[in-house]
Every structure is written in C-alpha cells, then in structure tokens.
Amino acid sequence: MNPTDDEVRAFMVEIGLRDPENASEVTPPEVRYFQNYKPAYDARKASERAARERMDEQWRRADESRQRAEHYARHMKLCREWGNANGFAVGTRGAIPKAVREAYKEATGVEL
C-alpha cells in the first residue's frame, strides 16, 4: 500500500503528531508510521463506532420500555378511578378484576 502524501498528512494531523499548518513533505518515518498504525487505528474507530451504536440502541430500547411502563401505570390508575366511579369494587393495589378491565376497555378503547 503506497499512501499519498495527503493521506499520511491527514492521518498524522488527526492523531496529533503533525501540526495542521505544516504543509512540508511527508517523511519516510511518517509513511512507515501510517502503514503500521493506520489499519489498527481504523479498526479501533470502527469498533468504537459499533459500540456507540449498540449503546444508543440500548438507550433507545430502555426509553421505549420506560414509556410503555409509564403509559401502563397511568392507565391502571385511570382504570381504578373509572371502576370506582362506575360502581365497581376496585382496590388501590393489586390486580384489577377482569370485568373492570373489560368494561374500561369498552368505555375508553384502551386495553390493559
């Protein structure tokens, strides 16, 4: 692999071993450094990008799960209030009777 001077210069600037203002010719040690370390650098960057994407996906799924839980909790509370207001015996804790859930679904269209 014979890299161009611009490739070597850009890599050396990116990793902080060359001043961006330095437009002098690329030296043989810089070319060797590029050839030896650029593949590993690219692999590490790809690995970091993949890890970041996995983490973003985990956060997205956690956020969706939290939203579903909040939605469910809100409707459970509303179902209890609706049941008590409509003559059903619904406690403040525990399972909501199936008859109350079905009646709530018919009245509101929300399934629990």
Side-chain angles (χ1 to χ4, degrees):
M1 167 171 120
N2 280 335
T4 66
D5 285 356
D6 289 337
E7 289 176 320
V8 174
R9 200 174 290 116
F11 175 68
M12 300 304 277
V13 167
E14 185 176 345
I15 62 172
L17 294 178
R18 188 180 181 107
D19 183 29
E21 305 299 321
N22 183 355
S24 64
E25 286 193 30
V26 173
T27 62
E30 287 177 321
V31 172
R32 282 194 305 275
Y33 189 91
F34 176 87
Q35 290 172 332
N36 290 336
Y37 293 102
K38 177 73 166 133
Y41 178 81
D42 289 343
R44 189 180 84 242
K45 286 294 186 184
S47 174
E48 289 171 354
R49 185 174 35 257
R52 201 169 31 255
E53 289 170 359
R54 281 191 308 274
M55 188 59 66
D56 289 346
E57 177 65 17
Q58 289 175 347
W59 280 108
R60 186 189 62 73
R61 278 189 268 131
D63 188 48
E64 287 175 357
S65 177
R66 179 192 53 78
Q67 288 175 355
R68 279 192 306 273
E70 288 175 354
H71 176 81
Y72 184 74
R74 183 175 58 251
H75 281 287
M76 293 292 284
K77 180 181 177 190
L78 292 173
C79 182
R80 287 179 194 284
E81 291 171 357
W82 180 90
N84 285 326
N86 287 287
F88 292 95
V90 183
T92 57
R93 298 181 345 177
I96 298 174
K98 186 174 182 178
V100 177
R101 290 193 319 261
E102 289 175 353
Y104 180 74
K105 179 182 174 186
E106 287 179 24
T108 63
V110 177
E111 185 171 353
L112 298 176

